[in-house]
Amino acid sequence: MAQYFSYEFIAIFMFVTMLVMMFTGQRVFGAIGFVSAAAALLLWGDGGIEMPYTAAWKLFKWYPMLTLPLFIYMGFMISESGIANDLYKMFHVYFGGVRGGLAIGTIGMMVAISAMNGLSVAGMAIGATIALPEMLRRNYDKRMITGVVQAGSSLGILIPPSVVLVLYGMIARQPVSKLWLAGVFPGLLMATLFILYIYIRCRLQPELGPVLPEKERNIPFREKIILLKAGIIPFLIFFFMTGLFLMGIASLVECSAVGALCATLAAYFKKKLNYKVTEATVRKTLGVSCMFMWIILAALCFGAVFDGIGAVKAIEHLFIERWHLTPWGVLIMMQLSYILMGMFLDDTAMLVIVAPLYVPLIISLGFDPIWYGVLYTITCQIAYMTPPFGYNLFLMRAMAPKEITLRDIYSSIIPFVLVMCLGLAIVMIFPEIATWLPEKLLSK
Amino acid sequence: MPKLITQYVKIIDLICTKVGRITMYGVYLMMFILVLSFVTRNIINFPLMWIIEMAQFTMTAYYFLGGAYSMQMGDHVRMDLFYGNLSERGKAKMDIFTSAFLLFYLVTLLIGSVSSLIYTIETKQKLFTAWAPYVWPIKVLMLTGILLMLLQTLSILFKDMAKLKGRKIN
């Protein structure tokens, strides 16, 4: 095949075939795996047949991937055992007096959960099972709070620890410690923007988020202080996991294991660690880990084929020589292409396939790859909640209370996606928001 | 459905479930190895040289051997913009059609894994690390995992075919 068609044509053909395959509803890893295996065979004959399996050995050497099952385990342990329920109660009481306060408190809780978790799964589970029913009962607008939970839980991949940034670090060959630190302020900025949005919206339309009744808020000062105890567990877990890693005491994979152990111990001391919780946690961890690992495995093969036909050079040629884009033009094109592709392609697969093409170009144009990692992650957050293909949408559909319809879920995200685009623009214009902290702490 | 096929589905589903439910506890093995690494490196200052390879072996075995069970539970995401609107029968039809693609991928993986295993055994291949463990045990586990996924895919295919005929194998 290679001698008859140009490589550009083959690359585009592969991409289109993959997108068509996605529409058939075959499992994502199966669709990507088929296209890459078939392309390898057509391009290189018998020599290409081992490419899918070779990808497994590349993945074997990606030692930091061990953080994936451990962070997933941690997230499920926290949500299944209910050790985060107190956290909700704390924010509930402290913010209940403000208009839209419970929604603001939910964002606060999501920040705390994100600091214990590398994905958005735990935040979604806790948000949909605890925060949503509570807020519905108090007549909060269902569209707004559905958006709050989805947007808030997506902070999980930006605020350290973050599995997405681990994967990016491996592909772009950048230190994970720097990437994690770079995610801190953009994550907090994003949370602040969400809170501002909720606050202003509820000022203008008070019926969206009514103030809690007096008697629910008026609890003795002593009890209010005791409620603060709910913050201890997240703080300890954050310290033992991310803290020890950033101080250079634990290695990256070790810190994820220590974190998983801490979550298990926390469940034990709260007397929530029984067979039912353990079984559900372990089973769901296997399911989600396998899903991610098989997608990465198939996408690695796809990437290897792309690499074999010189797609990096082709993209550079297209952007710079054919379209005469400026560096910023290239950057914006890349973000747009992510959002566009993110609609049809799973985000993990997109990272594995596209980042190796983009990152060398980003570096050669003089941009900071650490900052770019943060931009990518924010784009990924947006992709997580935009239809038709978003993990948070999937999870929301599976977990939301009955009165929340599919329409509500889809329309709930619109304002939050706009807020996130604003956040993305701010981090693009002021790169220091991301790069200041790692430079301050790690360049000594 | 012929009895042979119902028997096949029952046995394969059972094997994949058993293997998967044992494998899922592998997450504790990973946790143990890495916490041990943290303790030996930092607290008693006695680094162990087999940690990294052992953790990598466990991880690889974890997702290869767990693959079939996770497929059985339906944990793998699909793009359901179009697929999600199909009826149960429509989904079954579509799955029968697209399972050919999945099978193609799994068969190439299987061919690659067999030839790689043969090479490993013939050359007595070891990893290039200080510990230098033999590679064949993990390759056997990977081969087993791929084979189980292949068998599970066929089992799901048979179940979909039965669904079209209005029957259920269970």
Side-chain angles (χ1 to χ4, degrees), chain A residues 373-430:
Chain A
V374 172
L375 293 187
Y376 171 79
T377 309
I378 299 175
T379 320
C380 210
Q381 276 185 290
I382 298 174
Y384 267 35
M385 29 194 286
T386 39
F389 202 114
Y391 281 123
N392 284 11
L393 285 176
F394 280 124
L395 293 170
M396 197 62 180
R397 246 180 292 169
M399 296 188 287
K402 272 191 282 313
E403 57 263 53
I404 291 172
T405 62
L406 204 59
R407 263 187 91 85
D408 293 332
I409 296 178
Y410 280 151
S411 53
S412 70
I413 59 159
I414 298 168
F416 288 95
V417 167
L418 292 177
V419 171
M420 287 163 107
C421 289
L422 175 69
L424 179 65
I426 294 176
V427 180
M428 276 174 101
I429 299 168
F430 305 105

Side-chain angles (χ1 to χ4, degrees), chain B residues 108-124:
Chain B
T108 48
L109 268 177
L110 188 69
I111 295 172
S113 101
V114 170
S115 75
S116 167
L117 180 61
I118 293 171
Y119 172 83
T120 299
I121 292 171
E122 277 173 354
T123 58
K124 298 197 173 64

